[in-house]
């Protein structure tokens, strides 16, 4: 599936998923399945000033709650900007989840200027994430932003 098809499929999940949690779960599963360089795909939701792990596909992570001043996840949420890290081992912000991980992209989910959460993807391949990944995931984040509720 090309990126346009992936985005369309996620858009159609909005209509078919029974609730937001299922929509997020089906979205991470679809991304993981369609994009072989996406080894860990998850969604964190902002809840009472912390990022709380929601649906994900991949190995369990110890980072189920991340304060906004920690990690690449915290950096993306507090700046409201997508963060791409080509080599996680040289980024002092990085919170390790799996020893195999080499690169990461984190895309905030924003509605009306409020951060609702973020899409976090790890790859075992160095510098795996391109501008095409950024464009796709920012589109997916917009689709999800429309459906998620604000928790702060
Ligand atoms: N690497 C992230 C933490 C989340 S795990 O990758 C799933 C970070 O540095 O914020």
């Amino acid at each position: 599936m090309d990126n346009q098809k992936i985005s369309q499929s996620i858009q159609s999940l909005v209509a078919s998923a029974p609730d937001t949690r299922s929509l997020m779960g089906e979205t991470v599963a679809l991304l993981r399945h369609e994009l072989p360089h996406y080894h860990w795909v998850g969604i964190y939701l902002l809840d009472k000033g912390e990022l709380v792990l929601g649906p994900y596909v991949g190995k369990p992570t110890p980072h189920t709650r991340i304060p906004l001043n920690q990690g690449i996840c915290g950096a993306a949420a507090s700046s409201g900007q997508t963060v791409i890290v080509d080599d996680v081992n040289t980024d002092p912000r990085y919170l390790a989840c799996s020893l195999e991980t080499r690169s990461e992209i984190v895309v905030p989910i924003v509605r009306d200027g409020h951060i609702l959460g973020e899409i976090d993807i790890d790859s075992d391949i160095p510098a795996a994430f391109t501008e095409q990944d950024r464009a796709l995931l920012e589109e997916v984040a917009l689709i999800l932003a429309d459906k998620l509720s604000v928790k702060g």
Side-chain angles (χ1 to χ4, degrees), residues 55-146:
Y56 70 93
V57 187
K59 290 185 195 162
T61 171
H63 304 294
T64 55
R65 302 185 78 91
I66 303 177
L68 290 182
N69 61 355
Q70 285 181 27
I72 293 162
C73 286
S78 47
S79 68
Q81 303 291 318
T82 295
V83 178
I84 295 177
V85 177
D86 287 342
D87 179 358
V88 292
N89 293 318
T90 63
D91 193 315
R93 300 171 297 182
Y94 177 63
L95 300 170
C97 161
S98 149
L99 284 180
E100 282 91 53
T101 297
R102 302 295 304 280
S103 58
E104 178 162 9
I105 183 169
V106 185
V107 179
I109 302 170
V110 184
R111 190 175 65 228
D112 301 332
H114 297 282
I115 305 286
L116 307 178
E118 58 191 26
I119 304 167
D120 177 20
I121 302 179
D122 290 345
S123 182
D124 297 351
I125 301 164
F129 302 106
T130 64
E131 288 307 307
Q132 278 76 38
D133 294 294
R134 177 202 290 271
L136 169 67
L137 295 169
E138 289 183 350
E139 215 167 290
V140 174
L142 279 177
I143 296 171
L144 294 177
D146 213 33

Side-chain angles (χ1 to χ4, degrees), residues 28 32 38-42 55-61 97:
V28 295
R32 170 74 183 91
Y38 290 15
H39 293 109
W40 189 97
V41 182
Y56 70 93
V57 187
K59 290 185 195 162
T61 171
C97 161

